[in-house]
Amino acid sequence: MELDVLVNDFAIRSFRDIGDGDYIAARMACRAGLVTQFLWASQQAVEKYLKCILLLNRIEARHVGHDLGKAIGKIKVSGKVSLNLTRGTNSFV
């Protein structure tokens, strides 16, 4: 298998798929009125989706860690992906 295919598969399995689970957990926690758990799971989902975007687009992301703002900044600066985030999303980040 080509390296790009392997890296893309890793990104999807490690970040997107796990992020989907975090997203579902966040929605369930919200519906149950578990605010802290909702905020935690939603932050985790966003983080994983951003890391997936970074990896799939081969955007250098060292030192991003868990900082959503840094991840978004790296995506915007790269010019490879256009993010149209709502005011609410920007406020959450």
Side-chain angles (χ1 to χ4, degrees):
M1 268 188 153
E2 188 179 331
L3 182 59
D4 281 339
V5 172
L6 292 172
V7 171
N8 289 348
D9 182 60
F10 173 80
I12 289 167
R13 286 184 299 111
S14 298
F15 296 116
R16 193 216 46 204
D17 291 353
I18 303 300
D20 287 348
D22 289 334
Y23 171 75
I24 291 166
R27 288 187 57 134
M28 291 173 62
C30 183
R31 288 184 181 169
L34 302 168
V35 176
T36 301
Q37 290 78 8
F38 160 70
L39 291 172
W40 178 258
S42 60
Q43 185 277 338
Q44 289 292 300
V46 172
E47 179 183 334
K48 288 180 183 79
Y49 290 144
L50 291 172
K51 287 182 176 180
C52 189
I53 291 168
L54 288 163
L55 189 52
L56 289 174
N57 290 281
R58 306 304 190 267
I59 300 168
E60 188 280 316
R62 279 181 244 153
H63 309 296
V64 166
H66 302 287
D67 191 325
L68 303 180
K70 281 185 183 179
I72 290 170
K74 288 197 176 268
I75 292 168
K76 288 182 178 180
V77 167
S78 78
K80 293 182 176 184
V81 179
S82 176
L83 294 178
N84 294 319
L85 302 177
T86 66
R87 217 177 278 177
T89 300
N90 281 315
S91 175
F92 175 75
V93 171

